[in-house]
Amino acid sequence: MHVDSKTVPKKLQEEFARSGVKISRWSAWKAKVHLAGESIEDQAEQFQKIPDYVEHIKAADPDAVTEVVLNTVTNTFESVFICPSANQTAWYNSRPFLAVDGAHTRAAHENLLLLAAAYDGEDELLIVAWAFVPKEKESTWTWFLRLLDRALGGDLNSIRVTILSDRQKGLLNAIREVMPNACEGFCCVHLLRNLTDNYKACKNSVEAFFWAAVKAPSKEQFVEAMQALADNCGVGPANYLNAISHKRWATYAFPGRRYGRKSSNIVEIANAALSAARSLAPLDLLSTIYEYEMVKFSERAAAGQARQDEFTAAATAVFLQEIDKSREYSVLLSVNRAPTWSGLVRHPLQKTQDYAVEIELSDPDDPDGQLVASCPCNMPKDTDIPCRHAIGLAAECGLVPRQLITWEYTTSAYQDAYSIPLPAISTTALEVDADILAPAKKRKRGRPQKVRMEKGVAAGKKIGGKGTRPCGLCRVPGHLRSKCPNKPPAEEEEEDSD
């Protein structure tokens, strides 16, 4: 029987019962703690093994970026950062997008898990780097982002990179210090949550107007959506959103690409995938994340080699849907010669909405090269996949619509992303550095429980529970003061008058 943090004591009781041994639930729980390595002593020892674990990663993967931080005064374990070279290569061959967030662990010590996550060409979760830190604050986020930037070749501080966060103050300051030139966006799910927390009276009606404002492709449509929000929910919510820079959350003003992602839910997806691991002891947590990525890389490498189409399945599905919709539109050409093509695209049943679309060659000297489209609907700018309007114009001009899809969505890029496997790292024979101290243990919520000892009771005997509480008058357990047979008559009369 395999025992881990998810094993319940009842399963152990049943396993022992099959052998004819009956054990109590308490004994089963103690056995589970011992076998799963959940005792305080076992967890403390795991902190002492982490430096050797990181050394094993570096030995098997010299290009991995790792770092272990110990307190210089007390030699207490503080932080560890891991970004394998395979994950670096995967990010280089995926869209330049990152979402970062932290999550509390559920083990005995005070630590947080920091994650940087992205999407590959198949819209699959890619955990780029992870870290174990004492607290979520500006200094730890700055440390994490600097190491992440180093791991990714110093490319994070670029206008082509988009990073989404939940507006945690320390994280915002760290992003603006480490990567001030990146396109910084706010998680709209967290923004909506803050909005409804501040304006609870309109909690049920504000969501639709909020998302209409977020997704509005033009400033005019954004203004209309915000006016509708003010008219239906009051000026308070509208003023709250207007106080936050539009370029951080509104589609019409966002300077970079969010690839259709309006929130940092990708990190929450990662946290959900690692939910059970967050209950593990520190070394087990780190190795579980590593092994999760190792298995995913192996599976995706095989899937990539098996795929024969030019583009990934996710990109192809969107592209085919837009091609199908493009047939409903008519095109009025304006310019029909290289290196720029333009025209007016309209739907016969939507005459109030015209789309002035433009397509140009990214390299005028390469007629078969990448085509770049711009459209008022904002889809090409936001996703790097052509919209139905751009496809309609391309078809009318005799261009090849698939040249509008960027290389990150190609099958070859997906294959390159997972071309490097993560080497297997064993944790069974790691050295213990006895000089390393474990971090402080978590404090339980609420007031600490106390064992109350009453006078006249044998030392060490716990008083509490029905039938054991002593009487407030005679100090004999088994009854309360109001029912005491030795109660003075005067006190009885006084209680009766009350």
Side-chain angles (χ1 to χ4, degrees):
M1 177 182 179
H2 175 70
V3 180
D4 57 22
S5 63
K6 294 183 288 185
T7 305
V8 295
K10 186 176 180 180
K11 293 292 183 182
L12 282 171
Q13 288 179 293
E14 293 172 353
E15 187 68 21
F16 275 94
R18 292 190 187 98
S19 302
V21 179
K22 185 178 180 180
I23 62 172
S24 67
R25 183 179 177 84
W26 173 244
S27 298
W29 182 86
K30 288 192 294 183
K32 180 246 184 179
V33 167
H34 175 74
L35 293 172
E38 293 182 346
S39 68
I40 297 298
E41 294 77 13
D42 290 336
Q43 293 190 37
E45 185 179 277
Q46 290 207 5
F47 283 106
Q48 298 171 338
K49 293 180 178 180
I50 288 177
D52 192 42
Y53 172 70
V54 171
E55 286 299 320
H56 276 64
I57 293 177
K58 288 292 290 183
D61 183 8
D63 293 327
V65 174
T66 63
E67 185 169 299
V68 177
V69 179
L70 304 177
N71 187 291
T72 56
V73 178
T74 62
N75 208 42
T76 301
F77 177 92
E78 289 192 351
S79 309
V80 59
F81 174 94
I82 298 174
C83 181
S85 61
N87 298 61
Q88 300 167 31
T89 300
W91 190 81
Y92 291 143
N93 290 281
S94 300
R95 289 160 282 181
F97 171 91
L98 280 172
V100 290
D101 200 3
H104 288 276
T105 60
R106 295 188 285 267
H109 296 83
E110 295 182 341
N111 290 96
L112 282 93
L113 178 65
L114 304 186
L115 293 174
Y119 286 108
D120 60 23
E122 284 285 12
D123 275 346
E124 296 166 324
L125 169 68
L126 168 64
I127 301 176
V128 181
W130 54 97
F132 206 48
V133 299
K135 291 182 180 180
E136 187 178 9
K137 55 183 181 179
E138 182 176 346
S139 60
T140 54
W141 273 120
T142 301
W143 170 80
F144 179 81
L145 291 178
R146 287 196 188 283
L147 287 171
L148 181 63
D149 186 42
R150 192 178 91 193
L152 301 180
D155 291 340
L156 292 188
N157 190 23
S158 168
I159 188 66
R160 66 182 290 272
V161 175
T162 297
I163 183 165
L164 293 187
S165 71
D166 61 358
R167 292 205 306 153
Q168 198 264 351
K169 187 175 180 181
L171 175 54
L172 290 184
N173 292 339
I175 290 173
R176 290 161 190 174
E177 179 180 342
V178 177
M179 40 196 303
N181 295 322
C183 291
E184 178 191 353
F186 295 154
C187 172
C188 292
V189 172
H190 284 86
L191 189 58
L192 174 61
R193 193 175 301 157
N194 293 339
L195 180 66
T196 54
D197 286 344
N198 282 279
Y199 298 94
K200 295 181 180 179
C202 58
K203 182 176 181 179
N204 296 328
S205 59
V206 73
E207 184 172 351
F209 298 105
F210 169 78
W211 286 115
V214 169
K215 298 176 181 179
S218 67
K219 186 173 182 179
E220 293 75 18
Q221 291 170 292
F222 175 82
V223 171
E224 290 178 8
M226 292 296 287
Q227 187 60 51
L229 174 64
D231 293 342
N232 290 273
C233 304
V235 297
N239 291 339
Y240 177 88
L241 292 175
N242 280 324
I244 302 170
S245 176
H246 294 173
K247 69 179 183 179
R248 305 296 186 199
W249 61 277
T251 297
Y252 91 92
F254 195 77
R257 290 174 170 80
R258 290 188 291 189
Y259 299 98
R261 311 296 173 181
K262 306 298 188 295
S263 72
S264 58
N265 276 356
I266 180 175
V267 183
E268 296 184 12
I269 293 171
N271 286 332
L274 303 172
S275 178
R278 285 162 50 204
S279 300
L280 299 175
L283 178 60
D284 293 337
L285 168 60
L286 294 173
S287 64
T288 298
I289 298 173
Y290 185 94
E291 290 163 8
Y292 173 87
E293 286 294 281
M294 181 178 71
V295 172
K296 291 296 181 184
F297 270 57
S298 176
E299 294 173 349
R300 293 171 188 175
Q305 292 302 319
R307 186 165 181 80
Q308 302 298 320
D309 295 343
E310 182 179 1
F311 299 104
T312 62
T316 300
V318 176
F319 183 53
L320 291 178
Q321 179 182 351
E322 294 301 307
I323 286 179
D324 188 51
K325 292 292 184 180
S326 70
R327 299 188 178 98
E328 301 174 3
Y329 290 79
S330 60
V331 180
L332 301 176
L333 291 178
S334 173
V335 179
N336 187 13
R337 61 181 180 274
T340 302
W341 299 262
S342 64
L344 200 62
V345 182
R346 64 163 59 116
H347 195 284
L349 301 179
Q350 300 172 359
K351 296 181 179 179
T352 58
Q353 180 66 65
D354 292 332
Y355 298 89
V357 184
E358 184 175 287
I359 297 175
E360 61 181 359
L361 280 167
S362 59
D363 182 1
D365 297 328
D366 182 10
D368 297 323
Q370 179 72 51
L371 295 175
V372 180
S374 61
C375 178
C377 76
N378 249 348
M379 180 177 171
K381 171 182 174 291
D382 190 46
T383 66
D384 278 338
I385 294 179
C387 61
R388 59 200 64 175
H389 319 112
I391 292 173
L393 176 62
E396 188 70 20
C397 296
L399 301 174
V400 181
R402 68 173 179 272
Q403 290 180 242
L404 291 162
I405 305 177
T406 56
W407 69 272
E408 292 96 341
Y409 294 104
T410 62
T411 298
S412 61
Y414 184 80
Q415 292 170 345
D416 291 341
Y418 297 105
S419 59
I420 300 177
L422 276 79
I425 306 296
S426 173
T427 60
T428 56
L430 297 175
E431 293 184 6
V432 176
D433 187 344
D435 294 332
I436 296 177
L437 302 179
K441 290 187 291 184
K442 287 182 180 177
R443 291 186 60 187
K444 293 183 179 180
R445 290 184 178 182
R447 183 176 177 180
Q449 294 182 351
K450 294 183 178 180
V451 177
R452 297 183 175 225
M453 304 301 297
E454 301 290 349
K455 292 181 180 179
V457 180
K461 186 176 180 180
K462 184 177 179 180
I463 302 300
K466 186 175 180 180
T468 59
R469 181 178 174 181
C471 170
L473 289 177
C474 67
R475 313 307 298 167
V476 176
H479 62 268
L480 300 178
R481 178 185 182 124
S482 59
K483 304 295 183 181
C484 182
N486 300 319
K487 183 187 299 184
E491 189 172 9
E492 289 181 4
E493 293 173 4
E494 184 178 338
E495 288 191 4
D496 291 338
S497 65
D498 290 343

